[in-house]
Amino acid sequence: LYIACMLVFECFIRVTELNRLQLYMIDWDRKILHLTANVCLKSGIRSVPISADLSELMQAEGYKAMPENYFVFSDNGKPGQNKLTYHSLRLRWKKFRERHKISNDYKLYGLKHTGNTEFSKIGINAQLLKVLN
């Protein structure tokens, strides 16, 4: 769930796009996630940077060593041959919120907007944020 949250927050991935991500889309050396047309719902093909911290975490969790045709998320929470169902991720987020007594007002998708706000605060220009989103 943490990696999914970071992809939404840092890479502006829509929650509905998370279940379509496959490992071949990650350029580990350049730390870029290449989203293909079948993943992007509205904007077509786009590439977004992955932070060094997130890249290192994913590699430490074994993502880089797994077959490239695996989905980044499957229903067991790890990369696998079967893609994660949208409702599975929503259920995990709901359980997390309940466990940590976080209001139902906080949606997983809201992390995308929070990320935009935080990046604009550190000086990322609005035009670049638009392209990344």
Side-chain angles (χ1 to χ4, degrees):
L1 183 61
Y2 180 75
I3 290 173
C5 290
M6 292 309 294
L7 285 167
V8 174
F9 178 80
E10 286 187 1
C11 301
F12 313 114
I13 305 297
R14 292 174 183 90
V15 177
T16 54
E17 295 170 340
L18 285 174
N19 70 333
R20 296 181 179 126
L21 294 179
Q22 289 183 272
L23 292 172
Y24 77 85
M25 298 173 186
I26 301 172
D27 181 336
W28 296 105
D29 296 327
R30 295 176 56 213
K31 295 179 181 57
I32 295 176
L33 178 58
H34 299 285
L35 301 165
T36 59
N38 65 325
V39 172
C40 298
L41 296 176
K42 297 178 182 178
S43 56
I45 299 169
R46 72 183 198 271
S47 296
V48 294
I50 300 173
S51 71
D53 289 342
L54 181 55
S55 176
E56 289 171 16
L57 173 63
M58 291 176 78
Q59 289 181 58
E61 292 290 323
Y63 283 61
K64 187 176 179 180
M66 299 202 177
E68 288 189 339
N69 67 328
Y70 273 23
F71 289 94
V72 174
F73 303 106
S74 64
D75 280 330
N76 67 2
K78 297 284 183 185
Q81 294 177 340
N82 301 316
K83 68 180 180 178
L84 176 73
T85 61
Y86 177 71
H87 295 292
S88 174
L89 187 58
R90 290 181 71 185
L91 180 61
R92 289 169 198 258
W93 176 251
K94 180 182 177 200
K95 287 180 181 179
F96 176 84
R97 276 195 338 245
E98 289 170 352
R99 187 175 339 124
H100 297 284
K101 298 179 179 24
I102 298 171
S103 167
N104 289 343
D105 294 335
Y106 293 96
K107 307 295 184 209
L108 186 55
Y109 182 82
L111 292 174
K112 182 176 177 187
H113 296 292
T114 304
N116 276 300
T117 301
E118 293 301 313
F119 282 104
S120 67
K121 283 182 184 177
I122 61 169
I124 302 297
N125 122 0
Q127 186 63 30
L128 177 58
L129 285 174
K130 179 181 174 184
V131 170
L132 293 173
N133 278 274

